[in-house]
Amino acid sequence: MNTRPDTTRTPRSRPDESAVAGFAVPTWMHRLGGWQHRHPRAAIRLGNFDTRVAGEAIARISVDRPIYIAGIARAGTTIVLETLAAHPAVGTHQYRDFPPVMIPWLWHRWLARVPQRAETAAERAHGDGIAVTSRSPEAFEEVVWMAFFDAIHDPQRSNVLDRTSSNPEFERFYREHIRKLLAIRGARRYASKGNYNLMRLAYLQTLFPDARFIVLVRDPVWHIASLIKQQTLFEAGETAHPRALEHMRRVGHFEFGLDRRAIHTGDDAAAERIRQLWADGHEVAGWAHYWATVYGALADQLDADAALRDACLVVRYEDLCGDAEATLRHVHAHCALDISDDELSRAAARLRLPGYYRPGFSDAEYATIRDFTAPVAARFGYGTDTADTQR
C-alpha cells in the first residue's frame, strides 16, 4: 500500500452555530458524570448494590442472543440500533441512562417518581438529521467497559480483546447489568451499539456464544468525508463548550474532537502513523489510513475465525440506504427477530443516502483515499476505482 500522504489539507467549513450550541452539558450531568468517571471502583460497588436491590426481579432473566452493532463511526450504526430497538423484544440503553449508567435499576426507580415533561425530538449534536429524545436508544455500554479495563482507550497500547482475554469481575457485572436492563425495558433481547466492539468481537462471542453481530462498513470516500465533517463539528463544539470534552471522555466517545484517539488494532506502527498524520494536519490521509487499518483488522479476524464469521453479518451502508427493505429483512433474520412487511416498509422509509453534504476532495486527496483504502475496500465488495466514481 502506498503510504504517501496527501500534500494538501481539506478546507473545512465552519459548523452551524446551532449545531455547536448542542454541545452544552448541564451542570448536574457534568458533576454526576464526573464523579462516576473519577471513582470507577466506587461506581462498581454501587452497581453491585444495585444488582442486589434488583435481585428478585432479575432472578429468572437470562441473556439470550445479545445483538452487537459495530463499525467505525458514521457507518450507519445508529440507524440500525434505532431500527432494532423499535422491535418489542429488544431492549437497549437510552439517553436518559447517563450519567448513572452503573446503577440502572435504582436510577429507573428514581425516574419513575420524577414528573416527566413532554418531549419533542430534537436533532442530536452530530447534526446529521437524527432526532432523539431522552428515551431514544444510545451507546452507553462503554462506561461499563472503561470502569473495568483501565487501558481500553490507550492509543499507545493494543485495544484488542480476544478469546484469550479474561476479566471475571467484569464478566459477572456485565451479565448482571444486561439482565437489569432487560428487566427495566420489559425485553427479551439486548442490543448494543459500540464502535469499539469491532476489536472485541471474539471476546464477546466467548462470553455469549449465541451473540449476533452486525458490522457496518461504508464506501471510504463518503465515509471519510463524513468523518472529517464530524471532526470539524466536534472540535468547534468542544472548544465553545469545554465541559463537552470531559463529557465525551466520560461516555467513552473518542472518535472525534479535541481528544480524538484511533482504535489501536494491535499494530503499533499503524497506530503511530495515524496519530502523526492527524497531528500534522493531514486529515484525509489520517482517516484513510485509519479506515484501512481498522477494517483490515476486522477482515483478518473474520477470515481467521469461522465461528465469529458465521455470527457476524457485514452490512454495507450503501445497501442499507439503497436497498433498505431487503437489507433490513436480512438484518432481522440474522438476529432472529420477526418483522412484518408493514413494519419493514416503515423502517425502510427512514433510510436514504445523505443529501446534506458531498465529498469535496481534490484530485490528490481522492488518490490518497484510493491508495490507502482500495485493497481493504475490495475485501468488502467495493471496486478499486471507488474514489473516482463517487465524484
Side-chain angles (χ1 to χ4, degrees), residues 67-345:
I67 301 164
Y68 290 93
I69 304 159
I72 291 178
R74 312 307 302 159
T77 52
T78 296
I79 199 67
V80 171
L81 175 69
E82 289 194 338
T83 301
L84 293 180
H87 194 285
V90 174
T92 72
H93 283 99
Q94 297 178 354
Y95 274 89
R96 67 183 193 155
D97 292 334
F98 186 85
V101 176
M102 306 291 277
I103 53 168
W105 187 258
L106 290 171
W107 183 238
H108 175 70
R109 291 178 67 178
W110 165 255
L111 289 176
R113 288 163 171 75
V114 175
Q116 301 296 306
R117 297 180 179 178
E119 290 187 82
T120 301
E123 187 175 21
R124 62 180 187 159
H126 298 70
D128 55 6
I130 296 178
V132 298
T133 71
S134 67
R135 295 178 182 270
S136 295
E138 178 55 328
F140 285 125
E141 185 183 283
E142 200 62 24
V143 174
V144 180
W145 290 86
M146 291 191 301
F148 287 91
F149 295 90
D150 293 340
I152 203 163
H153 291 296
D154 187 337
Q156 297 182 332
R157 295 172 57 181
S158 174
N159 302 152
V160 177
L161 296 175
D162 57 22
R163 297 193 188 282
T164 68
S165 302
S166 177
N167 188 328
E169 185 186 14
F170 162 76
E171 292 157 17
R172 178 190 57 77
F173 187 100
Y174 183 48
R175 287 189 177 92
E176 291 170 346
H177 184 80
I178 294 175
R179 291 165 62 208
K180 286 184 287 187
L181 279 177
L182 292 173
I184 291 167
R185 306 292 184 236
R188 301 191 308 275
R189 305 280 301 282
Y190 172 67
S192 162
K193 183 192 81 168
N195 298 330
Y196 299 107
N197 285 338
L198 281 172
M199 294 299 117
R200 306 170 191 162
L201 300 179
Y203 179 51
L204 285 166
Q205 192 178 45
T206 301
L207 301 186
F208 306 111
D210 59 356
R212 312 306 290 168
F213 302 102
I214 307 294
V215 173
L216 278 296
V217 63
R218 186 175 183 181
D219 175 283
V221 168
W222 283 83
H223 202 167
I224 291 166
S226 183
L227 291 164
I228 290 174
K229 180 177 182 292
Q230 288 300 301
Q231 177 63 18
T232 303
L233 173 59
F234 273 62
E235 286 178 356
E238 291 172 0
T239 300
H241 302 281
R243 286 181 180 178
L245 174 58
E246 291 304 317
H247 177 79
M248 295 303 168
R249 288 170 173 158
R250 293 164 184 172
V251 300
H253 193 342
F254 298 99
E255 292 96 337
F256 308 109
L258 301 177
D259 191 16
R260 172 176 52 178
R261 306 179 194 179
I263 298 173
H264 193 308
T265 64
D267 185 333
D268 289 337
E272 175 57 23
R273 176 66 170 168
I274 296 162
R275 187 201 66 77
Q276 192 61 57
L277 286 168
W278 282 340
D280 291 343
H282 298 299
E283 285 291 302
V284 173
W287 282 116
H289 202 69
Y290 183 57
W291 192 99
T293 298
V294 172
Y295 281 121
L298 170 67
D300 290 344
Q301 284 186 72
L302 298 181
D303 286 349
D305 191 330
L308 183 59
R309 187 168 61 248
D310 290 345
C312 185
L313 176 66
V314 176
V315 176
R316 301 196 311 178
Y317 180 84
E318 296 74 28
D319 297 331
L320 180 65
C321 296
D323 192 8
E325 286 201 24
T327 303
L328 289 178
R329 190 182 298 279
H330 197 186
V331 167
H332 281 77
H334 181 74
C335 297
L337 293 171
D338 295 330
I339 184 168
S340 70
D341 290 341
D342 287 345
E343 291 168 328
L344 189 66
S345 295

Side-chain angles (χ1 to χ4, degrees), residues 23-35 38 98-99 241 243-244 246-247 250:
F23 282 80
V25 178
T27 297
W28 74 271
M29 183 177 291
H30 177 69
R31 290 178 176 172
L32 184 53
W35 182 90
R38 291 190 301 272
F98 186 85
H241 302 281
R243 286 181 180 178
E246 291 304 317
H247 177 79
R250 293 164 184 172

